[in-house]
Amino acid sequence: MRYNRAMLFAAACAACLSPAPAFADDSTVAEVTVTAQKRAENIQDVPISIVAISGEALERSGLRDFQNLTQFAPGLVTDANSDPRAARIGLRGVTTAQDNGKQSSVGVFIDGVFMSRVGMAFNELADIDHIEVLRGPQGTLFGMNTSAGLIHIITAKPSLNETRGFIEGVVGNYDRREARVSVSGPLIPGVLGASFSAYGTERGGTVYNVTRREDVNDQRRWGVRGKLGYERDNLEVQVIADYTRENSNCCGNVLLFLKPGAVTVGQPAAPLAVAAGNYPYSRLKLTGLEDFIKPQGAGLSAEVNYDLGFATLTSLSAWREWNIRAQNDAGAFALPVIETYGAQQHDQYSQEFRLASNGEDKLQWVGGLFYFHRNSAAQGVTRFVPLTLRAPTQDGTTRSRFKIRDVSYAAFGQVSYQFTDAFKLAVGARYSQENQDAHDIQVAQNFVSPTYDRKASRNEGQFTYTITGTYDVSSDVMVYASVARGFKPGGFDLGRPLVFTEFEFEEETNLNTEIGIRSTLMDRRLLLNATIFNTVYKNFQTVQYDGIRFLSGNAPKFTTRGLELEVIARPVTGLSISGQAAFIEAKYNDFKLGACPQGVAGACDLTGRTLPQAPRTTFNLSAAYDHPLGDSDWTGFFQADYAYRSKAFFNQALDPNLVQKGYGIANLRVGVRNADGLKIEGFATNLFKKDYMAFAFNGPLLTGGYEGFLGDPRMYGLRVRKEF
């Protein structure tokens, strides 16, 4: 993989926005504590490629939506296009859509609890202590679909000794109105504490539906979280309950491009597109059906830690549910073509027991047992409206219903030994057993979809491991090398058309090797980290959207490799400059039966071609400056952020009409705060009004046409926050 001088210079000059990291004081880089290895450690001592964003950094940057994490961690993709059912998360060039029957290659955990559907996480980032993005296979200690990495969101613990909190309000363009409140304090000082947080957000639509004469792609969300924390003697307990709800007019796809002579259900498409104006960036939608998305989620968890002296015993019990109702028209025109209605229900329970050694002995270890159970069900109706797609006696519908039961067991452990003052070796392993049962029923009254009633079961067991060696060059510089094996179970392709005969797809595995350096230099005024990795996937689970449904299969082999860099500098008091970059090359080594661009029949050989949604270059830059205002108790501040992604294809077929050119997004915040905790700031996101597509696809039943979802326009507003 080649890196030109411009790339290396950009990376060295900055990169991930730990958007203005937490500060030890005004002149040095702070120590950041993470739990990536199931124990609290300084991030600079952890031999994993990690992006850590503190709660303070989230607050300073205004990061509130999980989907926007992609702007803060190079190489990370977090896209949902307002519809969490089709949410996509990617790391290191590996991006997967978690449709029904499929799993993600990047896991999401909240307070240690695995989210069985990544869409559960696409919500407000409320009351957060910090976020960890771990790149590369993490199956040894975390398991559960982390073959490409994971995102771990850790919320703030209740305060046991003092009452604190905040209240804030936001107003802005697109009728933005947001309110947030959080309070935490002792019930029995030093022993029992509680916290409560709540939010409600509303924003008007960013796309105008010409046919319905209304704005769409709006956002209406609210949620609450309550916590109890208990600490006494050797016992620590934390209980968490949360609830979230959304009712948004979402998923307003727009017309992207029409080839000459494009046709939809027998009619020329060009005359139908006139009302869309200068599409796609006219932000006009033409379909006549009301689009909405209504997810709601709830969870309850209890974490118990008991100090046995030589080790700490941990129990983490959790239950979650996530239900969603949705309706949308995936077509491009006022002429109705495909109308979809659907509902999903997901219910999960997990239990983990873990025993970890205490102290700073040369020998350290952790081991545990894990159990997971999920029941998922979905019901859907797809209506193909045109008479040409159905017989006179048919109503054009495809009615589907499926159920999936997923049970997983695992045993894991990791041992490290400090052989010398400088050298440490760690070896970890996990055995996972995944059992899945699926029942899929579909009844079609049209010419497009098949009718079937099918059942299948999968029982898979896999051994994963990690071996890591670290060497302390000095007290401020550490180098490491590691090798790790990852695994993701197979699954079921629900709603596959007749031309595909396989109901199931196989498990995937990978082998990752990487070397890295972690350094804190110049009396903690400069942090410089670098990682080089190479990951080989076998039987990679591919996904292709044909304009009607997601289709899954397996690519025999592909390789992703690259370089990741991080820089944080504190050149003068009050000024922080930070950045991260990722240069990634992800290509198929063997994939002869890949998808073809629209209009090309059969299979296409994608061997040697790049993966979709895998930009070669991503980087983030951030500059933050604080300065006292005269002799008053007020401080002025600003923060400027910039995130760049190079060209990437949207679909597996690498259709030249489904590509987003490289683009960058700039954000700015300017304000004042005083010693009493009052903060007033103005903000702008997508400051320079950059037009770009968040995702694009073949238009359903639109020969020669493409549709997509627009990225957010420029948004600006005012935020007032009072901390106490």
Side-chain angles (χ1 to χ4, degrees):
M1 183 172 176
R2 299 184 181 90
Y3 306 106
N4 60 40
R5 292 181 180 178
M7 285 182 176
L8 294 175
F9 178 77
C13 287
C16 166
L17 191 72
S18 328
F23 307 140
D25 54 45
D26 284 342
S27 61
T28 61
V29 177
E31 290 189 4
V32 177
T33 300
V34 296
T35 56
Q37 298 190 112
K38 299 291 187 177
R39 62 175 73 241
E41 298 173 287
N42 183 342
I43 190 173
Q44 292 296 94
D45 297 330
V46 179
I48 299 173
S49 182
I50 307 176
V51 176
I53 308 174
S54 70
E56 179 187 350
L58 293 173
E59 191 275 323
R60 290 176 62 100
S61 64
L63 177 60
R64 293 289 184 268
D65 194 326
F66 179 87
Q67 180 164 306
N68 293 332
L69 273 177
T70 189
Q71 298 181 26
F72 295 84
L76 173 67
V77 174
T78 50
D79 290 332
N81 308 313
S82 303
D83 186 352
R85 296 174 302 168
R88 301 178 308 282
I89 300 182
L91 276 170
R92 290 183 169 178
V94 182
T95 301
T96 52
Q98 193 181 39
D99 193 35
N100 300 333
K102 306 173 180 65
Q103 305 287 1
S104 173
S105 294
V106 180
V108 179
F109 295 75
I110 300 179
D111 290 317
V113 179
F114 174 67
M115 304 288 108
S116 62
R117 303 284 92 186
V118 296
M120 294 175 173
F122 278 78
N123 215 311
E124 177 90 357
L125 293 172
D127 203 24
I128 304 301
D129 182 81
H130 71 282
I131 297 175
E132 302 173 12
V133 180
L134 280 57
R135 304 173 173 125
Q138 305 298 325
T140 298
L141 295 180
F142 285 89
M144 294 307 296
N145 305 311
T146 57
S147 58
L150 65 88
I151 300 172
H152 192 187
I153 301 170
I154 297 94
T155 60
K157 288 185 175 182
S159 173
L160 300 184
N161 298 303
E162 62 179 359
T163 299
R164 59 175 182 258
F166 71 85
I167 183 170
E168 75 170 37
V170 178
V171 295
N173 64 336
Y174 291 96
D175 297 321
R176 178 187 295 273
R177 297 185 297 274
E178 302 175 357
R180 298 177 180 87
V181 62
S182 175
V183 61
S184 178
L187 300 178
I188 302 175
V191 177
L192 180 65
S195 67
F196 174 81
S197 62
Y199 67 87
T201 66
E202 288 190 7
R203 192 208 65 212
T206 58
V207 172
Y208 183 71
N209 190 310
V210 175
T211 303
R212 295 183 57 83
R213 299 182 181 180
E214 65 181 9
D215 292 327
V216 298
N217 273 18
D218 61 15
Q219 190 177 91
R220 294 186 293 273
R221 295 174 173 171
W222 67 271
V224 295
R225 176 184 290 116
K227 287 189 172 185
L228 286 174
Y230 174 88
E231 292 184 20
R232 190 159 190 174
D233 299 328
N234 298 333
L235 180 64
E236 179 180 329
V237 181
Q238 182 171 240
V239 179
I240 308 173
D242 66 86
Y243 181 82
T244 61
R245 194 175 188 91
E246 179 176 352
N247 183 8
S248 298
N249 187 329
C250 90
C251 318
N253 52 290
V254 299
L255 185 64
L256 173 62
F257 176 72
L258 290 178
K259 294 178 180 178
V263 174
T264 179
V265 291
Q267 297 189 44
L272 300 173
V274 172
N278 187 25
Y279 58 85
Y281 301 119
S282 56
R283 292 189 172 271
L284 298 177
K285 178 178 172 65
L286 304 181
T287 56
L289 184 69
E290 178 188 12
D291 295 332
F292 64 75
I293 193 82
K294 298 181 179 181
Q296 68 87 24
L300 180 65
S301 67
E303 180 176 345
V304 180
N305 292 284
Y306 189 78
D307 189 343
L308 300 171
F310 73 98
T312 297
L313 177 64
T314 299
S315 169
L316 178 57
S317 310
W319 162 85
R320 295 206 66 84
E321 72 167 13
W322 190 58
N323 304 318
I324 188 168
R325 294 188 298 118
Q327 173 178 288
N328 70 285
D329 186 335
F333 308 110
L335 174 72
V337 178
I338 301 178
E339 300 174 348
T340 63
Y341 316 82
Q344 296 182 12
Q345 304 85 36
H346 304 278
D347 185 272
Q348 67 174 68
Y349 171 78
S350 60
Q351 174 64 55
E352 179 174 319
F353 293 108
R354 189 170 66 247
L355 189 65
S357 61
N358 291 331
E360 301 295 331
D361 294 338
K362 290 185 176 182
L363 178 66
Q364 294 187 338
W365 48 267
V366 60
L369 300 172
F370 178 76
Y371 171 81
F372 175 82
H373 184 116
R374 170 175 67 100
N375 286 315
S376 292
Q379 310 80 36
V381 177
T382 300
R383 181 170 174 255
F384 296 92
V385 181
L387 295 174
T388 54
L389 301 179
R390 52 191 170 98
T393 58
Q394 295 179 317
D395 63 10
T397 62
T398 297
R399 300 178 184 273
S400 60
R401 185 171 76 251
F402 82 83
K403 293 182 178 181
I404 291 181
R405 178 177 179 269
D406 182 2
V407 179
S408 178
Y409 310 85
F412 62 91
Q414 181 166 297
V415 177
S416 66
Y417 189 78
Q418 190 81 42
F419 283 91
T420 70
D421 290 342
F423 178 69
K424 178 191 290 187
L425 180 67
V427 178
R430 186 185 193 100
Y431 182 81
S432 301
Q433 178 68 39
E434 186 108 8
N435 303 329
Q436 301 178 75
D437 302 303
H439 187 190
D440 187 19
I441 301 173
Q442 183 164 289
V443 178
Q445 293 198 28
N446 53 65
F447 302 145
V448 181
S449 304
T451 293
Y452 52 73
D453 184 342
R454 52 195 181 185
K455 298 180 180 180
S457 295
R458 298 186 62 85
N459 298 299
E460 298 163 302
Q462 283 283 345
F463 175 76
T464 56
Y465 61 85
T466 181
I467 303 172
T468 305
T470 62
Y471 186 82
D472 293 326
V473 179
S474 69
S475 60
D476 297 322
V477 180
M478 181 267 284
V479 294
Y480 76 92
S482 68
V483 58
R485 184 178 189 270
F487 156 72
K488 187 172 78 169
F492 309 95
D493 214 2
L494 307 173
R496 187 185 284 258
L498 286 173
V499 293
F500 292 86
T501 58
E502 295 295 329
F503 179 35
E504 305 175 45
F505 51 89
E506 299 306 312
E507 72 275 10
E508 74 177 33
T509 59
N510 65 18
L511 186 66
N512 176 69
T513 54
E514 67 182 58
I515 58 174
I517 182 171
R518 304 289 180 262
S519 61
T520 308
L521 310 171
M522 300 176 63
D523 295 326
R524 299 197 60 82
R525 286 182 175 271
L526 176 66
L527 180 148
L528 177 61
N529 296 335
T531 305
I532 298 175
F533 70 90
N534 186 89
T535 312
V536 179
Y537 282 76
K538 292 186 178 180
N539 233 19
F540 176 64
Q541 295 170 8
T542 62
V543 178
Q544 164 68 1
Y545 183 64
D546 69 350
I548 300 176
R549 59 185 70 80
F550 289 97
L551 308 173
S552 299
N554 292 96
K557 185 179 180 181
F558 94 88
T559 299
T560 178
R561 56 187 178 181
L563 168 68
E564 297 158 343
L565 295 171
E566 179 181 16
V567 178
I568 301 174
R570 301 301 308 274
V572 297
T573 299
L575 175 63
S576 175
I577 301 173
S578 63
Q580 259 186 4
F583 307 113
I584 296 171
E585 182 182 78
K587 290 186 176 182
Y588 294 108
N589 302 100
D590 180 10
F591 193 19
K592 296 180 175 58
L593 299 178
C596 293
Q598 189 181 141
V600 179
C604 287
D605 188 353
L606 298 179
T607 302
R609 305 291 301 278
T610 187
L611 269 69
Q613 297 179 279
R616 289 178 62 93
T617 302
T618 56
F619 65 83
N620 304 327
L621 307 172
S622 176
Y625 184 65
D626 295 7
H627 194 276
L629 299 179
D631 295 329
S632 70
D633 63 353
W634 289 87
T635 298
F637 65 87
F638 85 87
Q639 178 157 328
D641 306 319
Y642 182 79
Y644 175 81
R645 298 171 71 174
S646 63
K647 182 182 79 170
F649 290 92
F650 286 116
N651 73 338
Q652 181 194 114
L654 307 182
D655 191 319
N657 295 304
L658 290 174
V659 62
Q660 172 61 55
K661 296 180 180 179
Y663 68 94
I665 299 296
N667 303 325
L668 179 66
R669 292 180 175 268
V670 180
V672 294
R673 64 174 178 268
N674 69 10
D676 293 327
L678 178 62
K679 180 177 183 180
I680 304 171
E681 70 172 26
F683 65 88
T685 59
N686 194 358
L687 180 64
F688 301 115
K689 300 177 66 174
K690 179 63 180 178
D691 289 326
Y692 65 98
M693 301 301 297
F695 187 67
F697 53 90
N698 296 325
L701 302 176
L702 176 56
T703 304
Y706 304 86
E707 302 172 39
F709 297 95
L710 293 164
D712 286 340
R714 179 169 64 189
M715 296 185 183
Y716 54 85
L718 178 71
R719 180 172 69 142
V720 178
R721 178 184 175 101
K722 180 65 170 71
E723 298 179 352
F724 56 86

